C-alpha cells in the first residue's frame, strides 16, 4: 500500500465514523504565539480543546504536516540516526472535542489497525502502553479489546517530574495535555531494542506508531493543571511509520516516498542509491522540511523560524559537501519532492518555483563561507582533539555562518565534544563589545537578515541568545 493510499484510508475510516475531514494547517501556527511550529495535528484545534472556539462539528480527522525541529518537540538530532524520526512528517489524527472519550478512541484505533477491511495488521505484533495510574484505559484494552496483560505496559512519570511521562502528552510548556495510550509495532527480534519501559527501549525494534491522548487539562505558565471544560481526544499516527509497517520494511527511509527522495539525493550528490548512508537520509529528510517551510511563508533569516530554516538548509548542504558535492545541489531536489507530494499538497506544487529560488539563494550565500569554514574546522580538529574549543565554535558561527548545531553535528560524527560554555563566554564577550560600541549604532539601520558574516552589535546579540536557546531547546 502506497503512502497516498494509507493517508486516504485513514481519512475514509474516520469519515465513516462521522468525523469531519479537515485540511492540514500550515507549519506556522496561525493561532498560537507560544509555539514555533505545528508539532502535531492538535495544534490547529487548540482553542476547540480549551473551549474557546466552537465549530460546527465535534469530531474531526486530518492528515497534518508537522515539523519537530525546535522547542520542546525537536527531532533534528535524531535524523539519520534512527529509523523513525524526521524533522518534517505527516501526522494522521482523529479528534473529539468533548464528544467521545477513551472507550471509542481505543476501539476505533484498534478497528482501523486490525480490521480486515482496513489495515488488517497482525494483532500479536502490536503492544500498548498506558499512563501508570490510568486503570480505565488499561481495562478497555484488556477486557474490551482483548489484549493480554503482558502486552499492556504502564508507564509512570519517567521524565523526572510529576506528569512528565512518555504517557502524559503535552503540546509545549503550556496548553492542552493529558494522559495517553500509545500503540507500538514489533518489527521482530532481528532488530535491536526492547519494549517500551525496558532499559533498551531506545532501540528501533518496537516502534511507536500511534498515540491516543485523552485531553483533560490545560497547563498554565506555573505548571498547574486545570481541567478542560470537556474531556476530549487527540490522536497522532506518523504516516511514514505506518507506511513502513504496511510496506513490510523496517525503516521509514525504505518507504516509497523516501526511496524516491533518497534516489534524488544520490543523483544530485553523484552517489549510488543507498540505505546505509546517513547523509543521504539527512538530505532527503531536510528537503521536505525546507520546502514546506518556504511554502508556508518562512524564509531563511537569522531569527526565530527563519533561523530554524537556515539551520536545516545549511545542515543539508554540509551533508552534501561531506559526500563530495561542493556545488549547488539542494534546490534541485524540489521537483522530485513535488512529484511525490504535490498531489496531496497542491500548495507545494504552486510554490515550486519560489521554493527553488529561495533554496538556491541560501545555498549560494552559504557557499561563500562553507569551504573556508570547513578548513578552519578541519585544522581545529586535527590531531587528538577531544573537545572543540568554544572560540572555534564561535568563530565558525560568527564569521562563517555555521549554526552551532551544524558544527555539533560534524563533531558528533567524529566523537568530538563541543565546548558550549566556552561558546557562551565568547558570545557574552562579543555582546560586551557590542554594548560598548552601541552608542554609534542604530538598530533600525541594520539589515539583520543580511550576511551571516556581519557583526552588528546589540541587534545581533539579542538574536545570539535566542540562537543558543534554540539549540538547547529552551526556546518555545
Ligand atoms: P517517539 O517516542 O518515537 O519520538 P513521540 O512519542 O515523540 O515519538 P508523539 O508526540 O506521541 O511522538 O506523536 C504522535 C506520533 O507521531 C508518533 O506516535 C509517531 O508515529 C509520529 N511521530 C512523532 N515524532 C515523529 C518524527 N520525528 N518523525 C516521524 N514521525 C513521528
Ligand atoms: Mg519523540
Ligand atoms: Mg514516544
Ligand atoms: Mg508518543
Amino acid at each position: 500500500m502506497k503512502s497516498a493510499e494509507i493517508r486516504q484510508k485513514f481519512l475514509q475510516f474516520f469519515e465513516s465514523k462521522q468525523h469531519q475531514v479537515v485540511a492540514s494547517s500550515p507549519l506556522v501556527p496561525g493561532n498560537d504565539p507560544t509555539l514555533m511550529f505545528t508539532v502535531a495535528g492538535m495544534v490547529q484545534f487548540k482553542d476547540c480543546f480549551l473551549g474557546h472556539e466552537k465549530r460546527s462539528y465535534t469530531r474531526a480527522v486530518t492528515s497534518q504536516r508537522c515539523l519537530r525541529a525546535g522547542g520542546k518537540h525537536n527531532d533534528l538530532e535524531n535524523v539519520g540516526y534512527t529509523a523513525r524520526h524526521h524533522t518534517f512528517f505527516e501526522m494522521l489524527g482523529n479528534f473529539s472535542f468533548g464528544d467521545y472519550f477513551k472507550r471509542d478512541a481505543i476501539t476505533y484505533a484498534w478497528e482501523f489497525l486490525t480490521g480486515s477491511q482496513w489495515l488488517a495488521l497482525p494483532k500479536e505484533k502490536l503492544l500498548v502502553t498506558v499512563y501508570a495510574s490510568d486503570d480505565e484505559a488499561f481495562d478497555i484494552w484488556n477486557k474490551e479489546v482483548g489484549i493480554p496483560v503482558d502486552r499492556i505496559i504502564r508507564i509512570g512519570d519517567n521524565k523526572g517530574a510529576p506528569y512528565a511521562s512518555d504517557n502524559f502528552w503535552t503540546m509545549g510548556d503550556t496548553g492542552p495535555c493529558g494522559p495517553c495510550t500509545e500503540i507500538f509495532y514489533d518489527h521482530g527480534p532481528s532488530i535491536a531494542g526492547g519494549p517500551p519501559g525496558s532499559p533498551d527501549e531506545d532501540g528501533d525494534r518496537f516502534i511507536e506508531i500511534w498515540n491516543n491522548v485523552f485531553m483533560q487539562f490545560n497547563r498554565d505558565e506555573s505548571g498547574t493543571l486545570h481541567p478542560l471544560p470537556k474531556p476530549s481526544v487527540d490522536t497522532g499516527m506518523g504516516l511514514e511509520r505506518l507506511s513502513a509497517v504496511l510496506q513490510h520494511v523496517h525503516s521509514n527511509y525504505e518507504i516509497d516516498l523516501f526511496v524516491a527522495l533518497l534516489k534524488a539525493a544520490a543523483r544530485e550528490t553523484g552517489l549510488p542509491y543507498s540505505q546505509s548512508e546517513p547523509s543521504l537520509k539527512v538530505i532527503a529528510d531536510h528537503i521536505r522540511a525546507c520546502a514546506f517551510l518556504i511554502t508556508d511563508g518562512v524564509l531563511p533569516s537569522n531569527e526565530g523560524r527563519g533561523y530554524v530554516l537556515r539551520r536545516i538548509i545549511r545542515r543539508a548542504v554540509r551533508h552534501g559537501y561531506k559526500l563530495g558535492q561542493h556545488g549547488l545541489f539542494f534546490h534541485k531536489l524540489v521537483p522530485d519532492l513535488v512529484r511525490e507530494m504535490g498531489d496531496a499538497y497542491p500548495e507545494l506544487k504552486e510554490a515550486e518555483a519560489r521554493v527553488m529560488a529561495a533554496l538556491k539563494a541560501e545555498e549560494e550565500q552559504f557557499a561563500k563561507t562553507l569551504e573556508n569554514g570547513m578548513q578552519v574546522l578541519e585544522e581545529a580538529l586535527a590531531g587528538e582533539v577531544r573537545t572543540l574549543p568554544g572560540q572555534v565554535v564561535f568563530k565558525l558561527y560568527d564569521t562563517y555562518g555555521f549554526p552551532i548545531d551544524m558544527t555539533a553535528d560534524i563533531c558528533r560524527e567524529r566523537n568530538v565534544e563541543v565546548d558550549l560554555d566556552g561558546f557562551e563566554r565568547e558570545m557574552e564577550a562579543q555582546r560586551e563589545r557590542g554594548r560598548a560600541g552601541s552608542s554609534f549604532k542604530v538598530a533600525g539601520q541594520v539589515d539583520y537578515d543580511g550576511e551571516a558574516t556581519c557583526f552588528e552589535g546589540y541587534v545581533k546579540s539579542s538574536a545570539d541568545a535566542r540562537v543558543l536557546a534554540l539549540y538547547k531547546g529552551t526556546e518555545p
Side-chain angles (χ1 to χ4, degrees):
M1 220 188 280
K2 295 195 88 180
S3 306
E5 238 177 289
I6 299 167
R7 187 193 293 118
Q8 215 39 50
K9 269 213 161 170
F10 183 83
L11 299 175
Q12 262 167 18
F13 174 83
F14 282 100
E15 211 178 1
S16 80
K17 308 285 184 200
Q18 293 76 52
H19 287 61
Q20 173 78 38
V21 179
V22 178
S24 170
S25 63
L27 290 177
V28 177
N31 57 348
D32 192 349
T34 70
L35 205 59
M36 195 171 237
F37 297 113
T38 297
V39 293
M42 55 75 63
V43 169
Q44 68 165 315
F45 301 116
K46 181 181 167 188
D47 287 339
C48 302
F49 290 119
L50 295 177
H52 298 160
E53 189 187 337
K54 275 249 170 310
R55 302 206 181 183
S56 57
Y57 46 84
T58 53
R59 300 174 169 214
V61 59
T62 59
S63 174
Q64 174 67 49
R65 55 184 182 273
C66 296
L67 190 79
R68 293 191 173 184
K72 185 173 178 298
H73 292 276
N74 185 358
D75 286 322
L76 190 56
E77 312 299 327
N78 288 324
V79 172
Y81 289 89
T82 72
R84 69 183 199 278
H85 287 108
H86 305 296
T87 51
F88 173 95
F89 63 101
E90 287 180 85
M91 193 183 282
L92 306 170
N94 55 289
F95 307 91
S96 150
F97 312 117
D99 187 321
Y100 60 86
F101 200 44
K102 297 185 185 182
R103 170 165 299 108
D104 286 336
I106 289 175
T107 51
Y108 285 155
W110 195 249
E111 183 185 347
F112 179 66
L113 291 176
T114 65
S116 57
Q117 70 278 46
W118 299 104
L119 302 187
L121 291 181
K123 294 177 183 167
E124 66 282 2
K125 296 213 170 172
L126 298 168
L127 65 164
V128 303
T129 61
V130 296
Y131 189 52
S133 55
D134 194 349
D135 295 332
E136 190 186 348
F138 189 100
D139 286 344
I140 296 169
W141 280 120
N142 179 230
K143 301 201 171 91
E144 297 180 37
V145 176
I147 302 208
V149 291
D150 61 338
R151 279 198 282 119
I152 310 172
I153 300 161
R154 291 181 190 258
I155 307 269
D157 291 343
N158 60 341
K159 304 271 155 139
Y163 304 113
S165 162
D166 281 342
N167 283 76
F168 194 92
W169 198 87
T170 55
M171 180 192 78
D173 294 329
T174 61
C177 55
C180 63
T181 178
E182 298 191 319
I183 304 171
F184 287 72
Y185 185 82
D186 180 2
H187 281 269
S190 63
I191 293 145
S198 72
D200 52 348
E201 66 173 351
D202 284 337
D204 268 336
R205 172 175 168 182
F206 296 88
I207 290 191
E208 175 190 330
I209 54 171
W210 201 348
N211 192 357
N212 278 244
V213 184
F214 309 124
M215 288 292 190
Q216 275 168 282
F217 306 104
N218 182 24
R219 200 200 306 246
D220 68 18
E221 286 80 12
S222 71
T224 310
L225 302 182
H226 304 277
L228 291 178
K230 285 181 182 168
S232 296
V233 168
D234 150 40
T235 90
M237 173 153 59
L239 174 62
E240 299 80 3
R241 295 187 190 185
L242 183 62
S243 299
V245 168
L246 288 161
Q247 294 175 16
H248 308 290
V249 293
H250 171 238
S251 159
N252 285 7
Y253 293 90
E254 295 173 84
I255 67 173
D256 53 334
L257 185 147
F258 265 104
V259 168
L261 293 178
L262 284 169
K263 284 185 174 159
R267 183 190 71 226
E268 293 305 334
T269 52
L271 255 73
Y273 161 76
S274 148
Q275 278 290 337
S276 52
E277 176 48 70
S279 292
L280 287 181
K281 293 181 183 169
V282 172
I283 294 167
D285 172 88
H286 288 10
I287 191 63
R288 299 211 304 168
C290 297
F292 276 97
L293 277 171
I294 298 167
T295 298
D296 287 343
V298 181
L299 283 172
S301 78
N302 281 344
E303 284 201 276
R305 297 181 176 111
Y307 192 62
V308 175
L309 171 60
R310 170 160 283 166
R311 287 160 66 207
I312 303 176
I313 298 173
R314 293 186 176 201
R315 255 176 116 109
V317 168
R318 202 283 302 179
H319 277 276
Y321 186 92
K322 184 184 172 211
L323 297 177
Q325 175 52 279
H326 294 193
L328 309 183
F329 74 96
F330 192 48
H331 65 285
K332 294 180 186 159
L333 298 172
V334 173
D336 300 273
L337 177 67
V338 170
R339 208 170 304 125
E340 292 302 314
M341 299 190 70
D343 288 340
Y345 294 96
E347 53 272 70
L348 173 69
K349 208 181 272 179
E350 267 165 46
E352 180 169 359
R354 188 162 58 82
V355 171
M356 279 185 86
L359 288 177
K360 188 165 176 226
E362 179 69 11
E363 282 192 88
E364 279 165 349
Q365 185 173 328
F366 192 38
K368 292 183 204 156
T369 55
L370 174 60
E371 181 114 34
N372 290 338
M374 284 306 293
Q375 259 163 32
V376 170
L377 182 57
E378 290 300 346
E379 276 162 31
L381 289 177
E384 293 279 294
V385 177
R386 285 272 177 88
T387 305
L388 186 69
Q391 293 101 301
V392 180
V393 185
F394 185 75
K395 186 174 177 189
L396 288 171
Y397 164 74
D398 197 50
T399 310
Y400 297 96
F402 280 33
I404 315 167
D405 63 284
M406 196 192 93
T407 301
D409 189 37
I410 302 170
C411 289
R412 177 161 72 154
E413 287 165 3
R414 306 176 188 205
N415 286 320
V416 172
E417 301 277 319
V418 172
D419 176 14
L420 274 187
D421 292 340
F423 173 84
E424 222 160 333
R425 278 194 300 274
E426 291 294 318
M427 211 166 63
E428 185 49 41
Q430 177 89 299
R431 218 174 281 147
E432 286 299 322
R433 290 194 292 275
R435 256 180 231 127
S438 65
S439 55
F440 301 104
K441 288 200 175 90
V442 179
Q445 289 175 344
V446 175
D447 172 19
Y448 190 61
D449 285 351
E451 291 288 299
T453 50
C454 67
F455 171 58
E456 299 292 357
Y458 61 84
V459 177
K460 186 152 188 272
S461 56
S462 68
D464 284 338
R466 259 169 274 155
V467 161
L468 194 66
L470 260 175
Y471 177 64
K472 290 178 162 177
T474 46
E475 168 143 321

